[in-house]
Amino acid sequence: MRPSLQVVALWGKKAPSHSITAIMITDDQQTIVTGSQEGQLCLWNLSPELKISAKELLFGHSASVTCLARARDFSKQPYVISAAENGEMCVWNVTNGQCVEKATLPYRHTAICYYHCSFRMTGEGWLLCCGEYQDILIVDAKTLTLVHTFTSSQSPDWINCMCIVHSMRIQEDSLLVVSVAGELKVWDLSSSISSIQEKQDIYEKESKFLDSLNCRTIRFCTYTERLLLVVFSKCWKVYDYCDFSLLCTEVTKSGQFFAGGEVLAAHRIIIWTEDGHSYIYQLLNSGLSKSIYPADGRVLKETIYPHLLCSTSVQENKSLPFVMGYMNERKEPFYKVLFSGEVSGRITLWHIPDVPISQFDGSPREIPITTTWTLQDNFDKHHIMSQSIIDYFYGFKDGAGTVVVTSSEYVPSLDKLVCGCEDGTIFITQALHAAKAGLLEGGSLLKDSLPHKVLKGHHQSVISLLYPHGLSSKLDQSWLVSGDRDSCVILWDIFTEEILHKFFLEAGPVTSLLMSPENFRLRSNQVLCCVCSDHSVALLHLEEKRALFCARKHLFPVRMIKWHSVENFLIVGCADDSVYIWEIETGTLERHETGERARIILNCCDESQFVKPESVFSVASETHKHKSVEQRSSISYQFGPIPCPGLQVESSCKVADAKSFSGPYNVLPVKTKWSNIGFHILLFDLENLVELLLPTPTCDSDHSNSFYGSEILRRARSTVEKKTLTLKRNKTACGPLSAEAQAKPISESSAQGDNSITFLEENDGIKRQKKMKSSKKTHPKPSRKFDANLIIDAAKLLLSCLLPWGVDKELDNLCIKHLNIWKLQGPVSLGLASNEDHFSLMLPGWDLCNAEIKKDYSKVNLFSRKVLDLSNKYISTLPNQAGMPRRLENNCDSLQESNAIVYLLRRVFLVNKLVNMPVELSCGIDSSFKMESLHNKVKSPGNDILHISSFYSYLRNGKNESHIPEADMSLLKLISCWRDQSVQVTEAIQAVLLAEVQQHMKTLRKIPINSQPESKTENGNYEMIQMRPKMERTEEIELQCITDNLPPQTSASLVKHDSNSNSANFQDNEDMPDRCVVEESESPGEPGHHSWIAKMCFCKLC
Amino acid sequence: MGGHSVCYLCKCSLSAHSHTSAPSRGELPLSWPLFPFICLFLLDLSSCFLTSLFIPCPPPPPSNGQGIGNLRPLPPPHRSGWGLSHHTHPVSAPGSRAQSGQKQEGIPLLAYPSLAHQDVNLKMPRNNQLLHFAFREDKQWKLQQIQDARNHVSQAIYLLDNRDENYQFRTGAEVLKLMDAVMLQLTRARNRLTTPATLTLPEIAASGLTRMFAPALPSDVLVNVYINLNKLCLTVYQLHALQPNSTKNFRPSGGSVLHSPGAMFEWGSQRLEVSHVHKVESVIPWLNDALVFFTVSLQLCQQLKDKISVFSSYWSYRPF
């Protein structure tokens, strides 16, 4: 997922399942982090009163999370590391949910300890890891690369658990581990740092066989610096750290298994079990001192016995196993907290008293549960926020609103959302409309007018849907295929709503529908493949309306489907790594292979599937056009990640989708594995939206102009190609071109304007056009289909989702009135993409996690209090003039409205890009940018704002720095500062948006203000007062603006910037005449700053 | 209808759904005690590993040594306890002859599948000298594949074991999750045996195996021992140093289970090339059993999952 994507989650009433497998509380006791079997991490806010509220869900792992640990000194950087079953490791910033670093090592960790020794180590410290491999791995905490290993000389084995011992007495840090065979080993840590850095072998210092299996935890008592608590699943033992002699053993009650333990205080420990109980013991001296029993060859007598003080338990229906932890108090406001997470997703907290005591009669006291919470509680509490995209369907059902959507599919080319329901009906509705109805305040009005269709034909719940045309444009546009629980597949015509054919497979529930790739054809048609949950695979020929055959021999669930086009084979890969090869024509099992051979077969087919389009590539780019689609489908064929299926492929599928979708927005249905609960994600592509919303060259007066520039334009375009090829700037470089093409349909349209463009394109030749397509890797066709209203609507929806509402009532009203956007019903769940496949989604109720906002219900969707401060800062640095070109104020309302929206979106995009810069840089930003900054370095050496200015000029397509007005530089500097102050992207976007809207609306308020000046102060908005002197000047300028006749100008600048961006610094001579064109058309009265804003906005890069 | 056992599994939905609605599908009635069966298999497996790792397994039936070139019966090593002389048996390796292809090379001999007390005899083609080295007695070298597989199995057992005897599963999803976790461990265990690690030559040289022999291996010999399916394989690489000024262009070889002659690598400051490769394999019966057990237990787990999902699909969609 690109960072330029804005994500809004529509959760629905049901929380996604979150089976907790790992849990930790951060050192500041403000956040609980849990990892789940589904692969997501959840951040929970822990208030000072020990109230829990879920905040964010972090997506990134594709397999079950095995362990969590702190990854830095928490007071400096709030980073947490998570490791997954398939070897993925991620470092997350738990304050904003961003993925800081990720890596995949071929090791499965079960425990991680962070170690940093400030005076002997450089860098960020190490992560000591143990897991399903021998001994200990040392991983660099910053880069997540393997630094070294600790090796054992004696019986190397897997390590179950470990702890780091900082002993003041010995002045040495040691690592204590227990292997699966029950062997305790000790490595010196602090003294071996240098030898680790020199990569010498480091062997254990001591080792001792502990005589029990399944060690769960080892803990060192820092209070006495002598006792060592080792918890095995069947017993726990206390050892003397000095000589590892056994002091005490306690075995479990029958049917109980210990899961862990911790030292509470000197001689006081807490032990917890797999079923959620915990016990606090006082370790009492038995009166037999060690000295009485000298080591006379026998084992030392146990000299300590435990006395049970307190216990905790969970009363409610419990689901095994529990993962528990204990957080010791550190400073005054901190508590001693015992916490547990269940597979059901429930978190329970116990506040452990400082001095736990037993009851008077000596029997153990029960410590009550302090808090317990689940994700679902969050959803129930904030039901307004947990709007689902299909909630309004409930309205249609008479009686109880219990329609459960069991499958959904989004058709981008038609903007239709297809939802299959539990009762066998299928709803088809306008996706954007539905989203608006769910999110916005006027939603109830929208609901009534909502166009929808209902398809009835299934008798069981519809669990799979497919729109074949979305995969291959050659397939019929009207087709929709749906499969149900009763093994019935229906082919629909979505336009006429009639059933074209019903297939009865007589197999299990149809869990997924796949289309054969384009290069595979049976009698010149593609084949539909239905995967059923009874492990059978059925092939259907849609054109002939005929079932080909049903392959039923598979013993394990089907994981992979491949097509061998030459020999007409269907290759089915199963979960147990076996492969079945079916002959499609006859339906006979050709071969069955397991093990190494199966792997080879699958790999071979992979090639054969992709060799064809690649070889044809140079001949016909037509096939290449669909390459992205094919790749995507090939990914989606691989349903269920192999190691531990979590969120059913969706994570990988999502990435593919996000990469390949070409429209300005998209709806993504997401489903979790072990439940039917799904939710939808709205994706807005800022870049694309801005491109599509660009005003197009329209007016007649412009006609000659565009012809005048056509020659240059063409040359400029040819440079685009060169650059695309040499610099591999796929997206940005050809942005202007495709934008122009895409902008066409929006143009309100004189045919002449259109003609001029098509003329240009024809001139340039088809060959180049193809190249353009291939480099863009998206198919322009569907994007052309988005009509202008839809795009404007999408932009408006995005703006209403981003705007902080309720900051100023009047401002809200003005926004609704002038921008024609709706107020939100409640705060929306925004998402934050950190890189390609790691992102976080806010959960309903996130807004109440911030203590300050808690009481203030008038503010809806305000991300944090910081936003207001930031926006004030922004306003104060804003240039004295209104930022927005406001020319058409009086004549054309709708045009002005859309202009304003475009302007705001651009601002958002710019901010987003600026704040995300470091991420992008690390990912390898366009080489052009680097070149550009090199250029600038030459131009202005020793400039301390070099970075910003170069980026700035990059945004402005490499114009000379001398043109930059000071005020805007300061704006950019400000935003860049925010980035360094770790202001979150959402905060920055909201702040800028708020400030810009305030600025914008102020000018709209102009007339009422002039007539009754008191109202201004009534506003109570001190920013207004602050800005007042500036406003007067604004008006002046606006007057000038209005006198200008600008529409042609905008087009001119568009043309100009196309060429400008293309030629950049390469061909300055071409740049020159072009610039003249603009200068000509620009009115002399136009202030300089104004023109730059106009230019900046029309460049495609911001 | 066998509904009783089903209720045991998915107790909560019992009242809500009459079991008669479920169509009778063959042997659908869920014969509950599947878990014990699975456990049984797992226990079998683990005991299998336990015995094989620490107690020497009965050796495979001695082959008569036919067709093995100039195989020399070893002088019985003097070890207490195990009458090694009659346990020692040559292992024929068709692969080795095919690989070396030359007339007479040393044939490594493998005594025991368990890697303590192994003798290796190697006749070097260069100087016709018979090399004899055995595993050191002071160190017990565990085959990592076996160790990993065993650990995976014990993890699976722990997953199945770590709840009360009368613990009742509440939802089908709970069982499915458990089965997924167990199957994951079993699959990994099986994969450890079926897919030997692909190692690069420097990795082999750095592995502890080279230090496990007494007398120490000559510096120009590398040894790798691994398990491939039900076979224990021993590969011996003979090396020769490349001259620094040699015209051969040096290209280090990547990771592989079995390197071919001509593979080059850098070790220390030296550049080395594999001149000869010898490989012998020995079929180990208990490994065969183990693999069968793995397959059976995986299938059992899958059957349990299938049955649960069949029922859940006929019940209301919700509780699953």
Side-chain angles (χ1 to χ4, degrees):
Chain A
M1 198 177 282
R2 290 189 304 274
S4 78
L5 284 182
Q6 293 296 310
V7 187
V8 175
L10 291 155
W11 288 107
K13 299 276 181 238
K14 289 268 179 192
S17 67
H18 188 76
S19 317
I20 298 172
T21 55
I23 187 168
M24 68 174 283
I25 296 187
T26 57
D27 287 357
D28 58 358
Q29 270 200 10
Q30 284 175 5
T31 315
I32 304 176
V33 188
T34 56
S36 71
Q37 222 160 355
E38 288 82 6
Q40 290 94 48
L41 264 64
C42 190
L43 304 181
W44 313 68
N45 191 65
L46 184 62
S47 72
E49 303 87 46
L50 289 182
K51 292 270 169 288
I52 311 172
S53 174
K55 197 165 65 175
E56 277 177 89
L57 213 52
L58 311 180
F59 291 77
H61 287 300
S62 51
S64 170
V65 176
T66 54
C67 59
L68 294 167
R70 141 185 104 95
R72 293 286 196 285
D73 189 358
F74 203 82
S75 52
K76 288 175 193 149
Q77 281 172 312
Y79 289 177
V80 163
I81 182 145
S82 63
E85 196 76 69
N86 56 0
E88 292 166 341
M89 290 170 90
C90 283
V91 178
W92 303 88
N93 181 339
V94 291
T95 49
N96 62 9
Q98 215 158 12
C99 171
V100 184
E101 188 64 56
K102 52 164 183 168
T104 307
L105 297 176
Y107 305 102
R108 291 171 207 107
H109 311 293
T110 51
I112 296 179
C113 276
Y114 174 73
Y115 180 68
H116 183 62
C117 183
S118 53
F119 54 93
R120 286 187 220 195
M121 273 160 84
T122 54
E124 298 290 353
W126 291 332
L127 300 167
L128 308 175
C129 311
C130 69
E132 297 181 3
Y133 44 83
Q134 286 185 347
D135 302 329
I136 300 288
L137 297 182
I138 305 166
V139 174
D140 189 281
K142 191 177 168 69
T143 58
L144 294 187
T145 50
L146 195 61
V147 178
H148 200 47
T149 54
F150 282 134
T151 43
S152 33
S153 55
Q154 291 295 314
S155 56
D157 206 343
W158 293 8
I159 305 298
N160 256 350
C161 52
M162 58 182 170
C163 77
I164 294 174
V165 172
H166 306 274
S167 175
M168 283 299 157
R169 210 172 46 196
I170 319 170
Q171 286 295 315
E172 163 78 44
D173 297 342
S174 327
L175 181 72
L176 265 63
V177 307
V178 181
S179 73
V180 286
E183 185 147 313
L184 175 81
K185 299 175 190 196
V186 185
W187 274 279
D188 280 342
L189 262 179
S190 41
S191 60
S192 50
I193 287 175
S194 57
S195 34
I196 289 169
Q197 280 155 349
E198 286 156 22
K199 310 250 181 214
Q200 293 162 350
D201 283 352
I202 298 143
Y203 296 107
E204 72 269 35
K205 197 179 69 181
E206 287 169 271
S207 74
K208 182 191 162 79
F209 193 66
L210 293 188
D211 214 24
S212 289
L213 286 174
N214 282 325
C215 179
R216 314 297 296 164
T217 310
I218 179 166
R219 286 288 176 268
F220 176 69
C221 175
T222 49
Y223 306 95
T224 57
E225 296 209 349
R226 212 187 121 189
L227 299 184
L228 199 62
L229 171 68
V230 188
V231 182
F232 301 93
S233 67
K234 279 293 190 184
C235 61
W236 58 267
K237 297 179 179 182
V238 177
Y239 290 89
D240 190 337
Y241 181 59
C242 300
D243 54 0
F244 297 125
S245 58
L246 184 68
L247 298 178
C248 154
T249 311
E250 178 90 354
V251 291
T252 51
K253 289 191 283 178
S254 70
Q256 268 197 332
F257 292 85
F258 291 133
E262 188 74 60
V263 179
L264 283 181
H267 298 290
R268 200 173 299 136
I269 56 165
I270 184 166
I271 306 283
W272 52 84
T273 62
E274 294 273 3
D275 56 357
H277 292 273
S278 79
Y279 304 96
I280 297 175
Y281 291 97
Q282 179 80 44
L283 299 177
L284 299 173
N285 209 316
S286 62
L288 308 165
S289 96
K290 256 168 87 176
S291 54
I292 303 173
Y293 292 90
D296 52 352
R298 294 185 299 125
V299 187
L300 266 173
K301 278 276 185 316
E302 300 181 3
T303 54
I304 283 176
Y305 73 94
H307 171 65
L308 185 62
L309 290 177
C310 302
S311 66
T312 66
S313 61
V314 279
Q315 312 95 329
E316 293 164 58
N317 40 359
K318 47 196 182 183
S319 52
L320 284 179
F322 283 74
V323 265
M324 298 178 83
Y326 172 77
M327 174 95 194
N328 226 332
E329 131 194 82
R330 312 176 103 213
K331 278 188 251 111
E332 214 12 77
F334 288 88
Y335 300 102
K336 295 181 180 219
V337 179
L338 175 74
F339 50 92
S340 87
E342 290 171 50
V343 164
S344 61
R346 175 172 295 279
I347 292 184
T348 313
L349 292 189
W350 291 268
H351 177 199
I352 305 293
D354 285 343
V355 184
I357 42 166
S358 57
Q359 281 171 357
F360 294 118
D361 56 352
S363 59
R365 183 190 296 271
E366 170 92 17
I367 297 173
I369 292 172
T370 312
T371 325
T372 176
W373 200 252
T374 61
L375 264 187
Q376 188 57 49
D377 291 338
N378 247 57
F379 277 63
D380 293 343
K381 195 174 163 196
H382 310 281
H383 58 274
I384 301 175
M385 266 186 80
S386 55
Q387 278 293 341
S388 147
I389 197 162
I390 34 76
D391 265 355
Y392 60 89
F393 284 148
Y394 298 144
F396 300 132
K397 304 304 290 180
D398 17 69
T402 50
V403 187
V404 175
V405 171
T406 46
S407 59
S408 54
E409 167 99 2
Y410 176 65
V411 183
S413 56
L414 304 172
D415 185 42
K416 290 270 204 281
L417 185 71
V418 185
C419 296
C421 297
E422 195 187 26
D423 59 354
T425 53
I426 297 172
F427 285 103
I428 303 178
T429 183
Q430 290 285 336
L432 193 65
H433 220 79
K436 275 164 79 179
L439 285 171
L440 305 180
E441 221 168 38
S444 50
L445 298 171
L446 288 165
K447 277 174 198 170
D448 304 330
S449 61
L450 204 60
H452 70 278
K453 292 174 183 173
V454 182
L455 308 180
K456 284 185 176 155
H458 286 289
H459 299 293
Q460 287 270 350
S461 53
V462 182
I463 51 171
S464 52
L465 285 166
L466 180 76
Y467 180 66
H469 181 72
L471 298 175
S472 155
S473 57
K474 294 210 177 107
L475 292 160
D476 201 323
Q477 262 206 49
S478 62
W479 280 357
L480 175 77
V481 192
S482 62
D484 72 3
R485 199 158 270 287
D486 212 12
S487 201
C488 168
V489 174
I490 300 186
L491 177 64
W492 305 86
D493 185 319
I494 45 169
F495 298 120
T496 62
E497 299 168 47
E498 64 190 21
I499 296 174
L500 294 176
H501 197 262
K502 256 189 181 183
F503 301 92
F504 294 99
L505 301 184
E506 289 168 359
V510 185
T511 49
S512 57
L513 297 164
L514 310 162
M515 213 64 207
S516 68
E518 289 223 323
N519 59 344
F520 178 85
R521 294 180 176 278
L522 190 70
R523 294 189 285 280
S524 78
N525 285 303
Q526 280 164 260
V527 179
L528 179 76
C529 172
C530 314
V531 181
C532 304
S533 71
D534 66 342
H535 317 161
S536 60
V537 174
L539 290 193
L540 307 178
H541 200 280
L542 292 181
E543 292 282 354
E544 293 174 11
K545 304 204 173 25
R546 172 170 93 79
L548 291 170
F549 74 96
C550 188
R552 292 178 195 269
K553 289 235 166 86
H554 316 125
L555 288 174
F556 283 83
V558 178
R559 278 283 152 78
M560 213 179 284
I561 299 278
K562 299 239 158 130
W563 308 80
H564 198 284
S565 48
V566 182
E567 289 178 78
N568 255 351
F569 284 147
L570 176 74
I571 297 147
V572 180
C574 289
D576 64 336
D577 295 335
S578 63
V579 163
Y580 294 79
I581 302 178
W582 299 86
E583 211 173 50
I584 289 172
E585 286 286 357
T586 59
T588 51
L589 181 61
E590 175 79 18
R591 257 169 101 187
H592 168 58
E593 292 289 353
T594 52
E596 192 62 37
R597 269 208 193 146
R599 215 160 298 142
I600 292 167
I601 289 172
L602 281 181
N603 289 340
C604 285
C605 297
D606 214 348
E607 283 164 20
S608 73
Q609 197 175 9
F610 289 112
V611 156
K612 220 178 174 188
E614 233 125 53
S615 59
V616 192
F617 165 62
S618 56
V619 187
S621 55
E622 197 61 23
T623 50
H624 195 74
K625 202 172 77 180
H626 298 285
K627 210 189 151 199
S628 61
V629 179
E630 251 167 62
Q631 276 168 344
R632 180 184 144 192
S633 54
S634 80
I635 292 166
S636 61
Y637 283 179
Q638 198 176 339
F639 34 98
I642 291 113
C644 183
L647 198 73
Q648 204 174 5
V649 219
E650 294 302 345
S651 57
S652 60
C653 189
K654 198 174 291 160
V655 181
D657 265 316
K659 271 178 197 156
S660 61
F661 89 86
S662 56
Y665 71 95
N666 201 353
V667 182
L668 215 59
V670 183
K671 201 148 205 174
T672 45
K673 155 90 179 172
W674 285 287
S675 69
N676 61 328
I677 299 150
F679 58 95
H680 291 85
I681 297 177
L682 290 181
L683 296 167
F684 295 93
D685 189 344
L686 268 178
E687 199 174 349
N688 207 330
L689 261 182
V690 171
E691 277 170 14
L692 288 174
L693 282 171
L694 275 178
T696 40
T698 45
C699 290
D700 301 348
S701 58
D702 188 39
H703 195 82
S704 60
N705 225 344
S706 68
F707 268 108
Y708 176 80
S710 70
E711 187 61 30
I712 300 148
L713 200 61
R714 197 178 315 152
R715 259 187 288 164
R717 277 179 181 177
S718 61
T719 60
V720 174
E721 258 83 72
K722 278 176 208 158
K723 270 171 98 184
T724 345
L725 292 174
T726 53
L727 298 181
K728 289 181 184 139
R729 289 173 52 179
N730 353 341
K731 191 81 186 173
T732 36
C734 61
L737 275 175
S738 54
E740 212 163 292
Q742 282 161 350
K744 233 189 334 184
I746 330 175
S747 75
E748 301 127 49
S749 235
S750 65
Q752 273 173 320
D754 266 359
N755 279 346
S756 69
I757 293 174
T758 42
F759 168 73
L760 283 175
E761 289 200 345
E762 276 159 23
N763 256 358
D764 285 334
I766 307 146
K767 193 178 131 202
R768 191 188 47 73
Q769 217 174 346
K770 276 178 185 165
K771 267 189 200 164
M772 185 260 289
K773 275 178 196 162
S774 65
S775 65
K776 188 145 193 230
K777 279 201 178 167
T778 53
H779 23 187
K781 258 190 189 168
S783 65
R784 272 170 207 259
K785 279 179 194 146
F786 287 105
D787 66 296
N789 287 333
L790 224 51
I791 291 158
I792 289 279
D793 275 0
K796 281 180 185 169
L797 181 60
L798 175 60
L799 277 185
S800 12
C801 288
L802 289 176
L803 253 184
W805 294 90
V807 175
D808 174 5
K809 278 262 154 53
E810 200 181 337
L811 190 70
D812 285 1
N813 293 334
L814 283 169
C815 278
I816 293 167
K817 200 170 139 205
H818 291 284
L819 290 179
N820 206 7
I821 57 180
W822 297 87
K823 202 178 162 179
L824 287 173
Q825 262 178 14
V828 287
S829 301
L830 289 172
L832 174 69
S834 6
N835 55 42
E836 291 292 304
D837 39 20
H838 293 72
F839 60 99
S840 60
L841 292 178
M842 301 285 197
L843 287 163
W846 58 265
D847 53 325
L848 299 188
C849 294
N850 281 337
E852 333 98 72
I853 304 180
K854 195 165 279 180
K855 273 140 206 126
D856 201 353
Y857 284 104
S858 64
K859 291 186 179 51
V860 180
N861 206 32
L862 185 63
F863 187 77
S864 67
R865 181 65 69 180
K866 219 170 166 184
V867 169
L868 297 179
D869 305 337
L870 292 177
S871 94
N872 288 345
K873 267 185 212 156
Y874 184 85
I875 288 181
S876 59
T877 45
L878 208 61
N880 300 345
Q881 309 76 28
M884 217 176 303
R886 205 155 296 98
R887 310 129 185 173
L888 308 152
E889 200 147 320
N890 299 323
N891 36 17
C892 181
D893 208 31
S894 69
L895 196 61
Q896 183 235 350
E897 171 197 310
S898 72
N899 275 347
I901 285 171
V902 172
Y903 173 77
L904 288 174
L905 277 183
R906 268 184 202 141
R907 273 296 151 129
V908 169
F909 185 51
L910 172 71
V911 172
N912 186 34
K913 197 143 189 164
L914 273 172
V915 179
N916 274 327
M917 268 309 276
V919 182
E920 260 178 77
L921 271 173
S922 64
C923 297
I925 198 181
D926 309 355
S927 49
S928 68
F929 173 58
K930 279 171 196 153
M931 286 187 60
E932 213 119 326
S933 57
L934 267 177
H935 269 269
N936 283 319
K937 229 172 253 174
V938 177
K939 273 182 205 164
S940 58
N943 191 349
D944 83 340
I945 50 162
L946 180 74
H947 178 70
I948 305 156
S949 63
S950 63
F951 174 65
Y952 177 71
S953 61
Y954 164 67
L955 286 173
R956 298 199 321 127
N957 307 331
K959 284 211 78 178
N960 283 335
E961 269 174 66
S962 55
H963 286 255
I964 303 165
E966 273 310 302
D968 300 296
M969 272 314 302
S970 60
L971 268 191
L972 286 163
K973 252 199 271 182
L974 180 74
I975 296 172
S976 309
C977 273
W978 290 356
R979 185 187 65 213
D980 301 335
Q981 291 159 8
S982 69
V983 171
Q984 298 177 30
V985 186
T986 325
E987 279 173 346
I989 288 177
Q990 280 206 337
V992 169
L993 206 54
L994 185 63
E996 292 285 351
V997 167
Q998 274 170 349
Q999 278 295 90
H1000 178 58
M1001 290 309 158
K1002 224 166 284 157
T1003 55
L1004 288 175
R1005 280 184 222 178
K1006 186 174 59 185
I1007 298 156
I1009 287 166
N1010 283 348
S1011 56
Q1012 27 177 267
E1014 312 85 47
S1015 68
K1016 195 162 45 190
T1017 42
E1018 273 170 25
N1019 269 342
N1021 195 343
Y1022 62 97
E1023 292 139 24
M1024 285 284 294
I1025 304 158
Q1026 191 185 334
M1027 293 304 291
R1028 221 182 132 193
K1030 293 171 186 170
M1031 272 173 50
E1032 269 129 47
R1033 281 174 68 187
T1034 314
E1035 284 166 35
E1036 268 174 49
I1037 290 146
E1038 266 161 13
L1039 280 173
Q1040 286 179 342
C1041 297
I1042 292 162
T1043 54
D1044 298 336
N1045 186 12
L1046 282 183
Q1049 215 174 299
T1050 50
S1051 66
S1053 64
L1054 169 76
V1055 169
K1056 187 214 115 190
H1057 275 274
D1058 277 351
S1059 51
N1060 225 356
S1061 69
N1062 300 336
S1063 50
N1065 291 334
F1066 287 65
Q1067 295 173 343
D1068 277 331
N1069 49 346
E1070 277 194 11
D1071 207 16
M1072 284 315 291
D1074 204 25
R1075 200 168 288 161
C1076 299
V1077 178
V1078 182
E1079 244 91 66
E1080 269 174 27
S1081 63
E1082 252 169 33
S1083 65
E1086 183 84 359
H1089 56 265
H1090 208 133
S1091 69
W1092 91 256
I1093 283 180
K1095 279 172 203 161
M1096 201 184 118
C1097 304
F1098 287 122
C1099 76
K1100 311 307 175 310
L1101 297 167
C1102 68
Chain B
M1 185 57 239
H4 182 74
S5 50
V6 178
C7 318
Y8 184 60
L9 244 191
C10 316
K11 206 174 166 235
C12 63
S13 13
L14 172 64
S15 54
H17 309 279
S18 75
H19 288 199
T20 47
S21 67
S24 54
R25 288 173 63 110
E27 70 299 337
L28 238 195
L30 185 70
S31 49
W32 164 242
L34 258 180
F35 264 127
F37 275 121
I38 296 167
C39 292
L40 199 72
F41 276 113
L42 295 177
L43 284 173
D44 257 353
L45 278 172
S46 86
S47 57
C48 204
F49 284 126
L50 287 171
T51 50
S52 62
L53 265 180
F54 300 115
I55 310 156
C57 272
S63 72
N64 48 16
Q66 53 179 358
I68 309 191
N70 61 343
L71 176 85
R72 262 172 232 198
L74 286 174
H78 306 291
R79 280 205 195 96
S80 57
W82 315 358
L84 261 196
S85 52
H86 72 268
H87 280 305
T88 310
H89 61 279
V91 180
S92 75
S96 73
R97 274 181 298 156
Q99 287 234 342
S100 47
Q102 296 155 20
K103 14 174 190 167
Q104 294 312 328
E105 305 217 334
I107 308 288
L109 295 177
L110 210 54
Y112 275 114
S114 126
L115 283 183
H117 317 285
Q118 293 278 357
D119 290 304
V120 178
N121 287 295
L122 195 63
K123 194 177 153 198
M124 304 299 278
R126 216 179 326 147
N127 42 15
N128 235 14
Q129 163 201 3
L130 182 77
L131 286 175
H132 169 157
F133 35 90
F135 275 85
R136 271 160 68 169
E137 285 205 348
D138 55 334
K139 285 187 178 180
Q140 195 189 27
W141 191 77
K142 284 183 205 159
L143 207 58
Q144 211 182 328
Q145 279 176 285
I146 303 269
Q147 190 182 51
D148 286 348
R150 191 201 55 182
N151 284 339
H152 281 301
V153 171
S154 55
Q155 295 243 323
I157 293 171
Y158 184 75
L159 283 171
L160 292 171
D161 236 13
N162 71 351
R163 56 197 78 215
D164 203 355
E165 281 158 9
N166 40 29
Y167 176 79
Q168 301 206 326
F169 289 91
R170 288 166 182 280
T171 57
E174 204 182 335
V175 184
L176 290 186
K177 280 177 196 171
L178 176 67
M179 281 297 108
D180 279 343
V182 169
M183 286 173 77
L184 183 66
Q185 292 296 339
L186 289 180
T187 315
R188 280 181 188 163
R190 193 183 59 176
N191 284 350
R192 277 310 268 146
L193 298 182
T194 54
T195 45
T198 54
L199 296 171
T200 61
L201 286 164
E203 276 167 351
I204 295 172
S207 75
L209 186 61
T210 43
R211 291 191 291 268
M212 286 306 299
F213 293 96
L217 281 180
S219 61
D220 61 344
V221 170
L222 277 185
V223 175
N224 190 19
V225 180
Y226 58 87
I227 282 171
N228 192 1
L229 291 166
N230 58 351
K231 295 186 291 283
L232 181 68
C233 309
L234 170 81
T235 44
V236 177
Y237 299 103
Q238 268 177 269
L239 312 170
H240 70 86
L242 283 173
Q243 294 310 310
N245 52 2
S246 76
T247 49
K248 265 188 186 172
N249 56 336
F250 175 76
R251 202 163 49 85
S253 62
S256 164
V257 177
L258 183 68
H259 293 270
S260 49
M264 289 179 270
F265 71 106
E266 203 158 5
W267 182 241
S269 56
Q270 251 189 328
R271 288 179 168 182
L272 299 163
E273 186 185 17
V274 173
S275 60
H276 295 93
V277 181
H278 319 283
K279 182 185 172 192
V280 283
E281 293 180 338
S282 144
V283 173
I284 300 169
W286 70 261
L287 269 180
N288 221 354
D289 294 346
L291 288 170
V292 171
F293 283 142
F294 275 129
T295 312
V296 174
S297 48
L298 276 170
Q299 278 174 4
L300 274 174
C301 292
Q302 184 58 45
Q303 278 168 21
L304 178 61
K305 275 177 72 181
D306 289 347
K307 286 184 182 179
I308 291 164
S309 52
V310 164
F311 278 103
S312 67
S313 69
Y314 284 102
W315 294 337
S316 130
Y317 200 65
R318 215 75 49 78
F320 200 150

